[in-house]
């Protein structure tokens, strides 16, 4: 698995799209043209296609800096395997040349099964190679459930229902987990509120049951992979994804690589200390960012300040209450936004991702929320002349994580024979 992971990371770093205002595409990664690196070239070409959208062979040749002949050699087997199809016809140019067709992912290509595992439930779906989601299923764990084998039955049942709902074999299973994961072994280290899962080798169990490649990662990193393949991270060399809500998580894409830390240990930004001698955190320490920037904090504060329905408070509701001039709402909103911005600014200062995609509760708050955060965030970060730093809203729907789970498989498979 170790060597494979190396390739995996390598595959994530390829194909940065750089379009100028005039839509001119500069080659940023040249392909390697010896026959021995076929899978790498294929990975780079598919990534270029994701970055550019449906493209002709000539576009791909320009983008990757190789001849059309080389592109043709890579594309042909992908057409035969029905991973790609020829679509829209591009009219011949004025100089006269043959009409070209645009290549894109085939609707008949094998889909990926994506699984999102939370402490109390599981969601599954199929994701086509162009990111479309279908055959969704979900199941909740009963309150009495307290052993991983019984929970696995619920999970595998859900996967089974999803994959048998179509007549196609699947490419693999991508699993995003809201918890601490060992990405080398594909095992769960800990899931908050579902401790019976601790130590469970879920990747190996799924592989054994369904006999397909399985990729396991933590949910924030799955969101990042989804944004890299299908979302706002497409074509970027550096960016971060931050998830906020019940917990806080971060994933980093630095210099064209997904950065995980040893065996996936990175990303615990929720437990960076922002307040010396602050409130007690559930991790046992004090003053972690999670103690002042999660929904738990927001709801406790809403209760203490006498705001209506504190247990369902979130950024969207708080904005509505502040707009309605409900007493205390505007102050709480201001404080929540500031507390969130502190952690985001710390992240920017330390790693300089320069582009941070926000998912979870902030995304639910929409443009208003991001504007408020941005005002605070800009005041908290050092101003380096010439640097462009921005925050962006990620997809609010839960499917972002599912799409990301599928992206995990895609990334891994791009460097292996399909
Ligand atoms: Zn903590």
């Amino acid at each position: 698995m170790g060597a494979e992971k190396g390739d995996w990371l390598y595959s994530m770093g390829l194909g940065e799209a750089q379009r100028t205002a005039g839509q001119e595409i500069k080659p940023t990664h040249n392909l390697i043209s010896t026959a021995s690196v076929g899978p790498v070239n294929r990975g780079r070409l598919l990534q270029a296609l994701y970055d550019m959208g449906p493209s002709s062979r000539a576009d791909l040749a320009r983008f990757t800096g190789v001849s059309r002949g080389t592109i043709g050699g890579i594309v042909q087997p992908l057409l035969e395997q029905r991973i790609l199809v020829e679509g829209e016809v591009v009219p011949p140019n004025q100089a006269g040349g043959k009409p070209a067709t645009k290549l894109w992912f085939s609707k008949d290509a094998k889909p990926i099964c994506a699984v999102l595992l939370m402490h109390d439930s599981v969601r599954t779906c199929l994701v086509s190679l162009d990111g479309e989601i279908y055959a969704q299923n979900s199941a909740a764990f009963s309150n009495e459930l307290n052993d991983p084998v019984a929970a696995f039955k619920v999970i595998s049942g859900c996967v089974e229902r999803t994959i048998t709902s179509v007549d196609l074999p699947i490419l693999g299973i991508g699993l995003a987990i809201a918890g601490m994961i060992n990405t080398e072994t594909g095992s769960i280290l800990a899931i908050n509120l579902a401790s019976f899962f601790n130590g469970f080798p879920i990747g190996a169990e799924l592989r054994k049951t369904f006999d397909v490649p399985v990729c396991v990662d933590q949910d924030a990193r799955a969101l990042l992979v989804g944004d890299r393949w299908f979302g706002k991270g497409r074509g970027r060399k550096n960016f971060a994804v931050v998830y906020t809500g019940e917990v806080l998580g971060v994933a980093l894409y630095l210099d064209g690589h997904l950065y995980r830390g040893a065996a996936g240990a990175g990303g615990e930004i929720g437990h960076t200390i922002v307040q010396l001698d602050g409130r007690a955190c559930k991790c046992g320490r004090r003053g972690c960012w999670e103690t002042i920037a999660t929904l738990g904090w927001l709801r406790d504060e809403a209760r203490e300040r006498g705001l209506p329905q504190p247990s369902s408070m979130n950024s969207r509701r708080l904005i509505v209450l502040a707009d309605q001039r409900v007493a205390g709402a505007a102050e709480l909103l201001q404080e929540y936004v500031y507390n969130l911005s502190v952690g985001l600014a710390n992240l920017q200062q330390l790693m300089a991702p320069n582009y941070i995609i926000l998912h979870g509760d902030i995304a639910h708050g929409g443009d208003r929320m991001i504007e408020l955060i941005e005002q605070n965030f800009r005041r908290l970060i050092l101003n380096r002349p010439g640097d462009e730093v921005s925050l962006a809203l990620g997809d609010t729907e839960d499917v972002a994580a599912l799409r990301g789970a599928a992206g995990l498989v895609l990334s891994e498979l791009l460097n292996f024979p399909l």
Side-chain angles (χ1 to χ4, degrees):
M1 199 72 187
E4 289 175 9
K5 279 293 168 208
D7 293 337
W8 201 109
L9 294 179
Y10 188 51
S11 80
M12 285 295 297
L14 308 167
E16 307 306 327
Q18 286 192 2
R19 272 169 198 264
T20 62
Q23 293 294 295
E24 186 189 313
I25 298 155
K26 292 191 235 163
T28 51
H29 291 284
N30 293 342
L31 296 188
I32 302 161
S33 54
T34 59
S36 60
V37 288
V40 174
N41 271 352
R42 187 180 52 204
R44 290 183 180 195
L45 180 126
L46 291 178
Q47 210 142 24
L49 203 51
Y50 274 110
D51 290 344
M52 296 199 298
S55 311
S56 68
R57 289 170 178 79
D59 289 340
L60 288 166
R62 262 197 306 278
F63 182 73
T64 53
V66 295
S67 72
R68 269 181 73 163
T70 304
I71 295 292
I74 304 169
V75 163
Q76 197 49 41
L78 292 168
L79 287 169
E80 283 161 16
Q81 291 164 354
R82 291 200 292 179
I83 289 164
L84 299 182
V85 279
E86 314 232 20
E88 195 190 326
V89 177
V90 186
N93 60 29
Q94 288 176 341
K98 281 190 293 179
T101 53
K102 287 196 175 184
L103 298 163
W104 191 235
F105 294 93
S106 164
K107 293 278 168 224
D108 303 332
K110 294 177 188 175
I112 296 162
C113 178
V115 182
L116 176 60
L117 176 61
M118 288 152 292
H119 71 92
D120 58 353
S121 59
V122 59
R123 288 188 59 183
T124 58
C125 70
L126 294 176
V127 182
S128 70
L129 291 191
D130 59 353
E132 195 190 315
I133 284 189
Y134 57 105
Q136 295 198 51
N137 267 283
S138 62
F141 303 133
S142 74
N143 288 336
E144 296 81 55
L145 194 87
N146 60 4
D147 84 282
V149 178
F152 184 74
K153 271 196 189 129
V154 177
I155 297 165
S156 58
C158 210
V159 170
E160 183 79 38
R161 284 199 299 283
T162 281
I163 63 181
T164 52
S165 64
V166 290
D167 235 1
L168 286 168
I170 56 166
L171 270 177
I173 298 173
L175 173 59
I177 300 180
M180 217 186 268
I181 311 303
N182 182 322
T183 52
E184 294 296 320
T185 60
S187 302
I188 297 171
L189 294 176
I191 296 183
N192 236 330
L193 305 176
S195 54
F196 57 84
F197 269 125
N198 299 1
F200 188 67
I202 191 154
E205 289 298 320
L206 281 172
R207 200 170 298 125
K208 211 158 66 190
T209 309
F210 295 101
D211 197 26
V212 289
V214 177
C215 303
V216 184
D217 216 325
Q218 175 240 46
D219 55 349
R221 282 194 292 261
L223 283 173
L224 181 136
V225 172
D227 282 338
R228 172 70 188 88
W229 281 111
F230 308 111
K232 289 185 174 166
R234 236 186 261 208
R236 288 186 179 273
K237 201 171 177 193
N238 288 289
F239 71 99
V241 158
V242 174
Y243 175 88
T244 75
E246 308 281 354
V247 293
L248 303 165
V250 66
L252 289 163
Y253 194 72
L254 299 172
D255 287 334
H257 295 285
L258 170 62
Y259 182 75
R260 288 193 169 84
E268 297 291 346
I269 196 170
H271 301 286
T272 51
I273 293 169
V274 294
Q275 236 174 10
L276 298 180
D277 302 320
R279 299 176 189 213
C281 180
K282 47 183 189 294
C283 73
R285 278 161 285 268
R286 280 189 174 276
C288 297
W289 190 33
E290 279 200 10
T291 64
I292 60 157
T294 52
L295 286 174
W297 174 87
L298 181 69
R299 289 166 183 172
D300 287 349
E301 288 293 317
R303 197 168 293 116
E304 254 169 58
R305 299 174 193 206
L307 287 161
Q309 294 169 293
S311 55
S312 62
M313 190 60 75
N314 56 32
S315 62
R316 193 188 308 187
R317 265 199 67 219
L318 190 54
I319 288 171
V320 172
L321 294 176
D323 286 348
Q324 293 169 344
R325 299 182 187 283
V326 171
E331 292 75 15
L332 180 57
L333 177 60
Q334 205 174 11
E335 212 173 311
Y336 181 47
V337 158
Y338 181 80
N339 291 356
L340 284 165
S341 306
V342 166
L344 296 174
N346 287 345
L347 170 66
Q348 173 59 29
Q349 289 315 135
L350 187 64
M351 306 306 294
N354 287 11
Y355 187 77
I356 304 178
I357 305 174
L358 299 161
H359 286 270
D361 186 54
I362 293 179
H364 285 281
D367 289 333
R368 275 286 298 288
M369 189 67 182
I370 208 150
E371 272 164 37
L372 292 168
I373 295 219
E374 191 133 17
Q375 289 162 10
N376 285 273
F377 173 78
R378 296 218 175 272
R379 277 199 292 269
L380 289 165
I381 57 170
L382 285 174
N383 185 21
R384 271 171 45 99
D387 272 9
E388 214 181 285
V389 181
S390 49
L391 303 175
L393 275 189
D395 296 328
T396 48
E397 73 266 74
D398 296 343
V399 298
L402 287 167
R403 213 175 253 156
L408 294 170
V409 176
L410 201 53
S411 306
E412 179 130 355
L413 288 180
L414 281 187
N415 271 344
F416 297 94
L418 288 158

